[in-house]
């Protein structure tokens, strides 16, 4: 038999969950059967849990239209995406005179490296300009892997504005990861990749299904703005509205697992959820001094005696 490796995230994304996979799997309900029930992830981001779990049915969603386009291109055109990424220059090379924004960007700022030229081309969508979906997806991956610390950040006009990073031989093609994620997304079925608000799940989830919410985190302090990665932000009012959706799902016998920052511990406990504090190391932050272990919580509607428990992660098909 040939071993097929688990799919792993393609992108760096704020709040990625690879370090917490065991903690999340331990809170899956024992009654959840991937062959019978669907899995839904309404805040996909890097998709660490979804792509590791490789559900056979379900949906994924994100509010960011460029991120959703990226995953749709990964799903439908993985080899074309890989080949397009292979054409990009080293981010520190001179701008390509055959492309737009050779000397300045839309605001007249000087462009002195290929990275900034590609960044200006990536920002065609928010400026109302025509764009090719495959090109946009490829540039998202390129900028994600070569920009400063893997940040994804937009200004008030919706333009990606992260500066160039410093890397030795960065991999912006990610061929193995693209193929693995493409396999997972195709396995979910037609129409599984949604773009919109998280509450769509109220219309698609059925009793016995599992929903994993990983929203933009409630900041631990006034200067820790996790929500800057999500267009429009995600404030305390949004957090409480999400909690109302969780309660509705639970009333319908739909299992829910959530991640958030530690400041949501009390609201989750007050709502009757089972909540635990966990630690995770964060490498993505615009402030180097703010990186390191952070206080996070995992909450669930699943009582401890009804959980799958530790050391029972889903097995990859052989």
């Amino acid at each position: 038999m040939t071993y097929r490796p688990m799919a792993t995230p393609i992108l760096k994304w704020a709040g990625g969950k690879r370090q917490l996979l065991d903690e999340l799997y331990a809170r899956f309900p024992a009654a959840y059967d991937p062959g019978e029930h669907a899995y839904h992830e309404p805040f996909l981001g890097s998709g660490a849990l979804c792509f590791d779990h490789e559900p056979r049915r379900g949906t994924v969603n994100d509010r960011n239209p460029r991120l959703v386009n990226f995953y749709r291109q990964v799903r439908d055109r993985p080899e074309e995406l890989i080949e397009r990424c292979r054409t990009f220059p080293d981010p520190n090379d001179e701008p390509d005179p055959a492309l737009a924004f050779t000397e300045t960007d839309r605001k007249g700022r000087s462009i002195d490296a290929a990275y900034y030229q590609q960044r200006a081309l990536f920002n065609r969508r928010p400026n109302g300009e025509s764009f090719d979906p495959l090109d946009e997806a490829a540039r998202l991956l390129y900028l994600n892997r070569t920009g400063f610390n893997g940040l994804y950040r937009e200004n008030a006009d919706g333009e990606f504005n992260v500066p160039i990073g410093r890397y030795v031989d960065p991999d912006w093609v990610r061929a193995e990861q693209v193929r693995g994620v493409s396999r997972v997304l195709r396995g979910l079925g037609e129409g599984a990749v949604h773009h919109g608000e998280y509450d769509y799940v109220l219309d698609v989830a059925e009793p016995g299904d599992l929903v994993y919410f990983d929203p933009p985190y409630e900041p631990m302090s006034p200067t820790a703005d996790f929500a800057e990665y999500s267009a429009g932000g995600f404030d305390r009012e949004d957090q409480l509205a999400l909690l109302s959706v969780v309660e509705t799902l639970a009333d319908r016998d739909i299992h829910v697992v959530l991640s958030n920052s530690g400041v949501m511990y009390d609201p989750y406990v007050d709502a009757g959820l089972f909540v635990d504090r966990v630690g995770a190391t964060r490498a993505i932050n615009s402030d180097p001094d703010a990186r390191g272990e952070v206080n996070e919580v995992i909450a669930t509607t699943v009582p401890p005696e009804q959980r799958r428990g530790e050391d029972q992660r889903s097995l990859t098909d052989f």
Side-chain angles (χ1 to χ4, degrees), residues 106 120 123-129 157 159:
R106 292 174 183 82
N123 282 325
R124 281 176 163 160
R125 182 197 289 258
N127 282 285
E129 302 164 6
D157 296 323
E159 294 181 324

Side-chain angles (χ1 to χ4, degrees), residues 90-122:
D90 184 280
N92 292 294
D93 283 357
E94 294 291 324
D96 184 345
L99 300 175
F101 306 109
T102 303
E103 298 180 355
T104 60
D105 65 11
R106 292 174 183 82
K107 296 181 180 179
R109 294 171 297 198
S110 177
I111 287 181
D112 58 2
Y115 175 89
Y116 291 105
Q117 182 180 38
Q118 295 298 332
R119 188 179 74 173
L121 291 165
F122 177 65

Side-chain angles (χ1 to χ4, degrees), residues 10 70 78 81-88 138 141-142 145 170-179:
I10 306 168
F70 174 77
L81 179 63
I82 290 167
E83 290 307 311
R84 180 68 184 87
C85 287
R86 285 176 173 154
T87 69
F88 287 125
L141 178 50
Y142 173 77
R145 304 304 300 191
D171 175 16
W172 58 76
V173 177
R174 308 281 285 170
E176 179 181 334
Q177 291 82 1
V178 167
R179 292 181 181 120

Side-chain angles (χ1 to χ4, degrees), residues 41 43 66 74 116 161 180 216 239 285 291:
E41 190 164 333
F43 297 93
R66 292 192 278 194
V74 168
Y116 291 105
N161 64 356
Q239 299 283 357
N285 194 298
R291 299 170 201 158

Side-chain angles (χ1 to χ4, degrees), residues 16 31 33 37 41 65 85 92 101 103 105 112-113 117 124 156 175-176 195 198 203 210 238 270 272 282 294-295:
D33 180 354
H37 306 120
E41 190 164 333
C85 287
N92 292 294
F101 306 109
E103 298 180 355
D105 65 11
D112 58 2
Q117 182 180 38
R124 281 176 163 160
E176 179 181 334
H195 169 234
Y198 63 85
D203 298 324
L210 175 63
D238 294 315
D270 292 344
R282 293 289 174 224
V294 296
N295 180 19

